[in-house]
Structures are given as structure tokens and as C-alpha cells.
Amino acid sequence: MDTAAQLTDPTPTAPTDRHRRRVATAAALASAVEWYDYFVFGIAAALVLGDLYFPTGSSSAGVLAAFATFAVGFLARPVGGVIAGQLGDKRGRKPMLVMALVLMGVATVGIGLLPTYETIGIAAPVLLVLLRVVQGIAVGAQWGGAMLMATEYAPEGKRGLYGSLVQLGVPIGVVTANTTFLVAGSVTSDATFATWGWRVPFFVGFLVLGLAWYIHAKVEETPAFREAERALAEQEKSESVTRSPLRTILRNHLGTVFLAGGSFAVNTATFYIIITGVLDYATRHLAMERSAVLAVSLGVSLTQLVMIPAAAALSDRIGRLRIYAAGAVGLLVWAVPMFLLIDTASLLWLGIGTFVTSCFLSIMYGPQAALFAELFTAEMRYTGASLGYQIAAVLGGGLAPFVMVLLLEVTGTSMAVSAYIIGLAVIALISIKILASRAAAAR
């Protein structure tokens, strides 16, 4: 058994409730602004980036190219997770979180300022891809740092709830990203939006730098890391060896990493399908109004602000894997009805279809941070949890909008996308079953 579900990290000095709240708030804000910056690219890819940076004779080809660039950010996420995980398990959670925020802020503002293909030619898509890679590295580094800052400061019995505060960064990021695009679209004409209106949401990246300074100056390192650091320093001194969290994970816990990734890929894939893939599908294939579809996406994301902490709090009472599995079953069952409703081209049915999907996503996402943290001991937790999460992001989220467009072009039916979600849900349930069996065997 290579999990640490029963581990209770010693805390040399119990933090005050006020400090716990400050750390949890800072971690949640860090997650929210990082995900905002990450999501504005996905929305822009669905709406304008194909025409501006990948001009072709086919609108589908342009969107595929833009979504491929979107996916590149996901391919870079494991790199960020490995680098930050290795350093975060050796040097601390906080400095890696600060580094991730700075990288994200610089890359996002850079995209907002980037000239188009018409202005600088082939350099435009090349630079866009490079900046997207930096965004991917940043978000890959951020999640583990923010998640551990929250969960390792959590009071006894509330690790799921505290971890969910970081998970709230995703719906907050979606809501704010959609809102800024709605505002930018409402105050500009279509021509003006395509020229410069779409750039405005990217300039919010400047705020990330201020938050990075605040965390650097005001937030302390987690007690669990400080205790693990002291214990391992003594061990290394006596044994004359230098630890490598990544080497330990690859040698002894790789199976757990892949099971974590397999359990979560359906969640991240379905999430990006409904916030970016459906945006393109509804506007380009179903001829639905852009602002109306964005408004529906915004409203659906607001429901996650309630569902995610509720599911996490319930997992503190009845168990992470039980709640997690319920969400995966829901996604499997709902995959076909969701697209049958979307295909009506009715805003009402689009809202209902994506709302129910969002509920199942929230049921999984709420306990996920605490679940992944508990799969690994403190001295390798940043590396292990980050790798599991980012593997799921690559296999699920990064490719999902691209796969969706490709499946629609090849098959001509949205049921092919439903089949894709169902396949990932089956993999998730198998992974969850194995993790549950391992946990039971360790008792």
C-alpha cells in the first residue's frame, strides 16, 4: 500500500484560526486568478484566436488549430507539476506558489499584447504557443502549492472542506472569465471585439503579480512541510543521502499517480467540453448567440460555488472515494442526455443539460484536493498529487475540446462526444475501485 490515507501530519505549533483563514483565503485567491488567466485563453480560442492567429480557408481548421494551442498548455502542465513538486517538497509550498503566480501573470498579459498573424506573420502563432506553454507550466505548478497550503493548514476533520476552497478557484475563474468577455462583447461591435475587445480580459493578469507579492510577504510555510523538512534533514544527515521526491514517486508510487490521473480524467475532460467545446459547438454548429451561450455558461458555473464545498464537507463525514465515485457514475449516465438536450439549440435545454453535468463535476471536484493530498506522505505530496492531477489534465482536459471538434467533423454527431465521456468515466470508476481496494487492504 503506497497511500497515506490514514496519515495525520504532526504540527509542531498549532496555527491560530485567524491564520488558517488567512492562508485558506490566499490559497483560494491564488487558485481563482490562476484559473481565470488560464480560462480566458480557452474562451478566446473558441471565439477569435483561430481567425486571428491561424488564418485558413476553413473555419473548422482554424478552430482546431486554436484548440491545439489550447491543448499545448495542458501538455506543459506536468512539466510545471514536476518542477514545482520537486522543489516544493524540498524547499516549501509557498515559494513555488509565488513563482507560479508570477509566470502566469506575465504570460497572460503577454498574450493580450501579442500582435496577430496579419501584423507579424508566422511569429504570431509561434509566440502564442510559447506563451501558452508558460501558462501551462504556471498552472501545473500552482495547483499543488495552493492545494497543500489549504489542506496542510486544515483543522482536524476539515481537510476536504479546506481543500475545496482551492477548488472553488475553477468556477470563480470561469465566472470571471465569462463575465469579462460578456462585458467586452457588449461594449464593442463585432469588428471592434475582433480587433482589440478580446484582449481586455487578458490584462487582468496584472493583478496576479500583486497577489504573488502578498503571499510572499504575509503567508507562512505550512506546518506539515516544516515538520517533514526537519525529519528528513535528520535522516539525510545520518544516512548521508539527498532525497529526491520525484525519484521516490517514480520508483515506489507511480501506480498511485496513474490511478489518481485515471480517476480524474473524465472530470477535467467533461469540464472543458462544456466550457469551451460546447461554446464553439453552440455558436458555430447550432448558430446560437455568443453572448447568450456565455451567459448560460456563467450561470451554470455559479452553481459550483455551492456544490463544490458541499460535496467536500460531505466527504469529510462519509469518505472521499464514496462521493468521488458518485460523481463519476453521474457523468457516465448523463453523457448522452446532455448532448440530446444541447442539440435542441434551445438556451433552456442547453442550461439544463450543462447544469446537471456541472453538479456531477462538482461532486467529484469537491473532495478531489483532499483525496489526492491523502494519497501521499508530506515529504512527496506536492510531487505525487501534482503529477496525478496534471496527467489527468493532459489525457482529459487538454485534448477534450480538440477531440470534440474532431469527432464532430468525422462523425457528424454529438453522440460521438458522449461516447468519449462514457469511456473516460469507465476508466475513472475502475481507478476508483482499485484505490478503494488498496485503502481497505491497508486498514
Side-chain angles (χ1 to χ4, degrees):
M1 175 67 176
D2 59 356
T3 66
Q6 290 76 38
L7 177 69
T8 56
D9 298 316
T11 54
T13 303
T16 64
D17 288 342
R18 180 181 179 184
H19 191 63
R20 290 185 200 273
R21 288 193 295 269
R22 178 193 296 173
V23 172
T25 300
L29 286 173
S31 176
V33 295
E34 283 267 316
W35 286 117
Y36 167 86
D37 284 358
Y38 201 67
F39 291 145
V40 292
F41 190 99
I43 296 173
L47 297 178
V48 296
L49 295 186
D51 292 334
L52 296 177
Y53 290 91
F54 305 96
T56 66
S58 164
S59 61
S60 295
V63 171
L64 278 171
F67 277 155
T69 305
F70 180 68
V72 164
F74 285 83
L75 295 175
R77 281 171 61 169
V79 176
V82 167
I83 294 172
Q86 180 84 345
L87 294 174
D89 280 329
K90 297 181 73 172
R91 307 299 180 195
R93 311 338 188 175
K94 187 178 80 170
M96 295 303 101
L97 181 56
V98 171
M99 177 198 74
L101 289 168
V102 172
L103 282 177
M104 182 61 84
V106 170
T108 303
V109 173
I111 292 171
L113 296 172
L114 187 64
T116 64
Y117 185 93
E118 185 180 2
T119 304
I120 61 173
I122 193 64
V126 171
L127 290 173
L128 184 67
V129 170
L130 289 175
L131 289 169
R132 183 59 178 169
V133 167
V134 175
Q135 277 195 322
I137 291 172
V139 83
Q142 171 272 142
W143 181 81
M147 178 270 291
L148 293 180
M149 291 294 288
T151 58
E152 291 184 345
Y153 264 106
E156 184 68 27
K158 292 187 177 181
R159 182 175 278 177
L161 180 60
Y162 269 61
S164 73
L165 298 178
V166 172
Q167 306 295 72
L168 287 177
V170 170
I172 291 172
V174 173
V175 168
T176 51
N178 275 282
T179 300
T180 53
F181 269 99
L182 276 171
V183 172
S186 66
V187 300
T188 60
S189 65
D190 287 346
T192 304
F193 180 82
T195 303
W196 61 264
W198 68 271
R199 298 179 182 274
V200 175
F202 286 87
F203 296 147
V204 176
F206 281 116
L207 300 178
V208 179
L209 302 177
L211 182 59
W213 173 86
Y214 175 82
I215 292 175
H216 173 73
K218 303 293 184 181
V219 176
E220 297 178 6
E221 190 54 78
T222 72
F225 172 76
R226 294 199 305 268
E227 180 63 26
E229 184 181 40
R230 277 192 291 272
L232 284 163
E234 290 298 320
Q235 179 183 345
E236 290 176 2
K237 183 177 179 181
S238 62
E239 297 177 1
S240 300
V241 296
T242 301
R243 69 186 178 102
S244 169
L246 179 60
R247 188 182 303 121
T248 302
I249 289 290
L250 294 179
R251 285 180 177 177
N252 304 319
H253 307 280
L254 193 57
T256 299
V257 169
F258 280 112
L259 287 171
S263 74
F264 192 61
V266 65
N267 186 287
T268 187
T270 307
F271 174 76
Y272 283 102
I273 283 172
I274 67 171
I275 70 160
T276 58
V278 168
L279 177 59
D280 168 66
Y281 179 63
T283 54
R284 192 162 55 89
H285 287 262
L286 303 180
M288 298 177 73
E289 227 262 329
R290 180 187 67 206
S291 61
V293 176
L294 282 171
V296 168
S297 179
L298 188 154
V300 167
S301 296
L302 285 172
T303 64
Q304 292 187 304
L305 298 177
V306 177
M307 290 290 297
I308 286 175
L314 187 59
S315 79
D316 283 329
R317 297 171 64 88
I318 68 174
R320 319 267 185 239
L321 287 171
R322 186 177 300 178
I323 301 299
Y324 201 60
V329 170
L331 291 176
L332 185 150
V333 172
W334 188 247
V336 170
M338 176 182 72
F339 270 102
L340 290 177
L341 294 175
I342 292 171
D343 284 343
T344 65
S346 160
L347 279 176
L348 174 63
W349 291 119
L350 170 69
I352 292 173
T354 53
F355 167 73
V356 175
T357 304
S358 178
C359 289
F360 292 129
L361 290 174
S362 300
I363 289 170
M364 286 191 76
Y365 202 55
Q368 185 251 345
L371 173 64
F372 278 30
E374 290 166 353
L375 291 176
F376 306 95
T377 53
E379 69 275 7
M380 59 179 146
R381 185 173 289 155
Y382 202 141
T383 303
S386 292
L387 273 178
Y389 187 97
Q390 303 312 335
I391 285 173
V394 171
L395 298 179
L399 294 175
F402 181 88
V403 169
M404 179 177 173
V405 173
L406 199 59
L407 287 172
L408 289 169
E409 290 297 314
V410 172
T411 68
T413 173
S414 62
M415 291 299 100
V417 186
S418 296
Y420 172 56
I421 294 173
I422 289 170
L424 290 175
V426 170
I427 293 172
L429 289 170
I430 292 171
S431 300
I432 292 168
K433 176 64 175 176
I434 296 173
L435 287 172
S437 298
R438 288 185 174 189
R443 293 192 184 101

